Amino acid sequence: FFENHLELYPNPSSGKIFINTPFSDVNYSIYSIDGRMVIDTRKLTSSNPLNLNLNKGTYLIKFTHENSSFFKQIIIH
C-alpha cells in the first residue's frame, strides 16, 4: 500500500531527485546494486529535491514507513 503512494522522479537522474508522498515519518537509505549502504538512514523531509552526490550507476533506495519498507531502483547518469 505504502509503495503505491510514493513517486520518485526523474529516473534516470543526474543526481537530483524529487520524492512525493502523502505520508509523513518516511525514512530512506541508499544502497549500491551489490547491497552496500552508501547513504545511511535519513528522514525524508518536504524540502525537495534530494541532491545525491553519487557516482554514475544503479542504486536501490529503501523507503521505510511505520512497519513497512520497500526498494525503488534509481539510475544516476
Side-chain angles (χ1 to χ4, degrees):
F1 173 78
F2 162 54
E3 65 189 83
N4 296 329
H5 294 86
L6 187 140
E7 182 183 25
L8 180 149
Y9 61 94
N11 191 13
S13 168
S14 61
K16 182 186 287 189
I17 61 170
F18 295 86
I19 300 169
N20 292 328
T21 182
F23 296 97
S24 59
D25 296 327
V26 175
N27 292 319
Y28 71 94
S29 50
I30 301 179
Y31 297 82
S32 63
I33 200 67
D34 63 2
R36 192 172 33 89
M37 183 183 283
V38 294
I39 295 180
D40 58 354
T41 303
R42 298 179 183 180
K43 184 177 176 102
L44 185 63
T45 63
S46 59
S47 60
N48 277 308
L50 291 180
N51 290 304
L52 304 176
N53 187 16
L54 297 170
N55 293 328
K56 293 179 181 181
T58 303
Y59 296 88
L60 298 172
I61 303 180
K62 180 181 180 183
F63 293 99
T64 306
H65 172 67
E66 295 178 348
N67 292 326
S68 63
S69 63
F70 69 95
F71 289 88
K72 277 196 178 275
Q73 180 176 293
I74 186 162
I75 297 169
I76 304 296
H77 62 78

